[in-house]
Amino acid sequence: MYKFILFFILLGIQYSFWFGKNSFHDYKNLKKDVFFLKKLNKDLEKRNQLLIAEIYDLNTRFDAIEEYSRYELGMIKPEEFFLKILN
């Protein structure tokens, strides 16, 4: 008699472990999500570091401003001319 009661209690505990709220499957899915978000955060941190370095260069170096304006904005100095060679 006690064996059946203990068996059903164990069965209830196992059911909640595998299929209930906060089950093993939920844990695995959350672990996968955490891994993905950590990787995304690393990528965003690298991008932020590059942007911080670019901002620092633009704030401290005049040649960085000139380089940015030439390549990104297509600006040229007075008395210069721009040749674009197409292959």
Side-chain angles (χ1 to χ4, degrees):
M1 179 73 167
Y2 294 112
K3 291 180 184 179
F4 292 115
I5 294 172
L6 289 175
F7 175 74
F8 285 114
I9 290 173
L10 181 63
L11 190 63
I13 291 171
Q14 286 293 314
Y15 178 81
S16 65
F17 176 75
W18 292 104
F19 304 110
K21 184 179 179 183
N22 298 327
S23 66
F24 182 73
H25 297 292
D26 292 340
Y27 167 74
K28 284 294 195 181
N29 289 336
L30 286 175
K31 194 172 181 180
K32 188 184 336 175
D33 291 344
V34 166
F35 177 75
F36 172 74
L37 290 174
K38 282 183 178 181
K39 183 180 181 312
L40 181 64
N41 279 343
K42 282 183 183 179
D43 294 341
L44 291 174
E45 284 177 3
K46 287 178 185 176
R47 188 191 77 182
N48 285 345
Q49 290 300 321
L50 291 174
L51 289 173
I52 288 170
E54 185 175 347
I55 289 170
Y56 177 77
D57 281 346
L58 290 174
N59 284 334
T60 57
R61 295 183 24 228
F62 180 74
D63 57 335
I65 296 171
E66 182 179 348
E67 178 183 344
Y68 180 79
S69 63
R70 285 178 180 267
Y71 291 110
E72 298 293 327
L73 303 175
M75 301 179 101
I76 59 172
K77 290 182 181 179
E79 301 178 9
E80 278 188 337
F81 62 93
F82 178 73
L83 293 176
K84 186 172 186 179
I85 301 172
L86 301 174
N87 290 334

